[in-house]
Amino acid sequence: MKKSNSQKILMLIKMRGEIDAATISEELGITKEGARQQLIKLSEEGLVNYECKSSGVGRPFTYYSLSQAGMAKFPDSHADITVQLLKSVKTLLGENALDLLITDREKTTYARYEAKLKGSKNLEDKLNKLSKVRSDEGYMAEWKKEDDIYYFIENHCPICAAATECQQFCKAELKNFRSLLGPELKIDRIKHILADENRCVYKIENPSI
């Protein structure tokens, strides 16, 4: 189904964290006035917040970010039933059973990702493939490079409710990323959706460089 401009704008804001009308105009190929009108409409609907920021000389720019209602447009997958199941496992079978469940999921996920990344020529090739498979799962993943440091970014967490209930999910994912991308690399999560950040960001460094 073709997305409307308002849906595309919400997606852009989700991916960028915050954005101005000029950037939306450029990204979507619409006029700045058209972008502003769409943003005003989304603001009136309670889907976006806005803030004026000054960047030195000249008039301040207006930046837009998603409100809680806007964030809700990118739902957690099967949130309620997942949390209920996790609570039931802990109550009926104990913490050890939950640990076994997470460990099994970690191993299955690792095997699937390892197959997807097989034959990768270098780290950037791995990041391209990992971004693709994670995006297919709803994480809206991308990566960027600044100097010699790479950043793997997930703009959405489709299992946020489950991860909030049981943070072993997050620990398992970080462990998998470290194994998949290379034990010689230093990989740390520097932003975390569960810490009220708008995305999860993993910093990837090669200590030998």
Side-chain angles (χ1 to χ4, degrees):
M1 183 184 295
K2 188 176 180 180
K3 289 185 174 67
S4 67
N5 278 340
S6 62
Q7 290 173 316
K8 291 176 183 177
I9 288 170
L10 291 174
M11 179 71 76
L12 274 175
I13 299 174
K14 176 68 172 168
M15 295 290 287
R16 302 292 180 84
E18 63 177 14
I19 200 168
D20 62 1
T23 304
I24 289 173
S25 169
E26 183 179 343
E27 291 279 350
L28 299 187
I30 60 178
T31 65
K32 288 183 182 178
E33 183 58 31
R36 288 192 191 95
Q37 291 299 320
Q38 291 281 352
L39 287 164
I40 290 170
K41 181 174 179 290
L42 290 170
S43 178
E44 290 173 346
E45 292 173 355
L47 298 175
V48 301
N49 299 321
Y50 61 88
E51 181 181 1
C52 292
K53 295 183 181 181
S54 178
S55 55
V57 180
R59 64 182 178 81
F61 286 87
T62 302
Y63 289 88
Y64 298 84
S65 59
L66 293 181
S67 65
Q68 286 298 318
M71 292 290 287
K73 293 289 185 181
F74 302 88
D76 195 342
S77 299
H78 313 297
D80 291 340
I81 190 169
T82 302
V83 170
Q84 289 170 14
L85 287 170
L86 290 172
K87 287 181 176 179
S88 294
V89 170
K90 279 198 285 188
T91 300
L92 298 173
L93 303 175
E95 290 281 352
N96 186 57
L98 186 58
D99 290 341
L100 290 173
L101 185 152
I102 301 298
T103 299
D104 183 68
R105 179 182 183 273
E106 176 190 334
K107 289 179 180 178
T108 302
T109 300
Y110 181 86
R112 183 160 47 83
Y113 288 2
E114 186 180 39
K116 294 285 186 181
L117 270 61
K118 189 175 181 180
S120 298
K121 300 179 179 66
N122 50 41
L123 175 59
E124 293 188 2
D125 196 14
K126 286 183 178 180
L127 288 172
N128 282 332
K129 292 175 181 177
L130 186 60
S131 296
K132 172 66 168 58
V133 68
R134 293 291 279 183
S135 291
D136 288 346
E137 293 174 0
Y139 289 88
M140 298 171 65
E142 57 184 340
W143 67 271
K144 65 180 181 179
K145 183 181 181 183
E146 294 180 359
D147 298 322
D148 292 323
I149 299 175
Y150 291 85
Y151 296 91
F152 182 69
I153 303 160
E154 295 185 329
N155 295 288
H156 182 60
C157 179
I159 63 163
C160 190
T164 301
E165 176 67 24
C166 179
Q167 293 200 21
Q168 288 101 308
F169 282 108
C170 298
K171 293 176 182 176
E173 286 178 346
L174 178 57
K175 181 181 177 182
N176 274 344
F177 291 163
R178 285 171 171 163
S179 298
L180 287 162
L181 297 177
E184 75 282 2
L185 301 174
K186 183 176 184 294
I187 303 176
D188 296 300
R189 186 190 288 114
I190 60 172
K191 288 190 177 183
H192 197 189
I193 289 174
L194 295 191
D196 292 327
E197 304 278 0
N198 59 13
R199 64 193 65 191
C200 288
V201 179
Y202 299 85
K203 183 180 181 181
I204 305 167
E205 302 174 271
N206 189 335
S208 65
I209 293 178

